[in-house]
Amino acid sequence: TTTKEDLQRLLQLLLRISTVVEEAEGRRIENRAMVRQISIMREQMFRGYYLLDAFRC
Amino acid sequence: SKELKQAVLVLENMVADMEDFVIFLMSYPR
């Protein structure tokens, strides 16, 4: 795949993950494992957005 | 670049594992 295609795919994945993270943040989750999983997802999401911005620049 | 492909792969795997998580998530109240 080309860099452009990879960036497009990255954006699609980030949109999907951010939807789930946002949905999770709007719910009262007390399960520690789930909270941890959301935290990992959020971290990976920010990493992805950082990379996306870096490559776009 | 290699870094970009690696990031895509990591997120692809994360999204693939997300299905069950989303179903479970929906059972929680807002």
Side-chain angles (χ1 to χ4, degrees), chain B residues 1-2 4-7 9-17 19-24 26-27 29-30:
Chain B
S1 88
K2 199 176 172 183
L4 182 60
K5 288 190 190 303
Q6 183 65 32
L9 193 68
V10 167
L11 295 184
E12 291 269 18
N13 288 335
M14 181 176 276
V15 167
D17 292 339
E19 304 294 323
D20 290 340
F21 176 82
V22 171
I23 294 166
F24 197 40
M26 293 305 164
S27 68
R30 283 178 185 275

Side-chain angles (χ1 to χ4, degrees), chain A:
Chain A
T1 53
T2 64
T3 301
K4 194 180 172 185
E5 286 168 340
D6 286 339
L7 285 171
Q8 191 64 37
R9 184 65 187 139
L10 182 62
L11 181 62
Q12 286 173 350
L13 291 164
L14 286 170
L15 287 174
R16 200 158 169 193
I17 294 167
S18 63
T19 305
V20 174
V21 168
E22 199 176 311
E23 193 61 39
E25 284 172 344
R27 289 170 191 269
R28 277 175 283 147
I29 296 165
E30 288 161 2
N31 183 316
R32 291 174 100 186
M34 273 192 88
V35 170
R36 200 178 319 125
Q37 190 161 350
I38 294 161
S39 168
I40 291 167
M41 285 165 67
R42 196 185 293 116
E43 191 186 310
Q44 290 296 333
M45 183 183 79
F46 287 137
R47 234 179 241 189
Y49 274 120
Y50 176 81
L51 207 60
L52 189 70
D53 285 343
F55 271 88
R56 273 174 169 174
C57 290

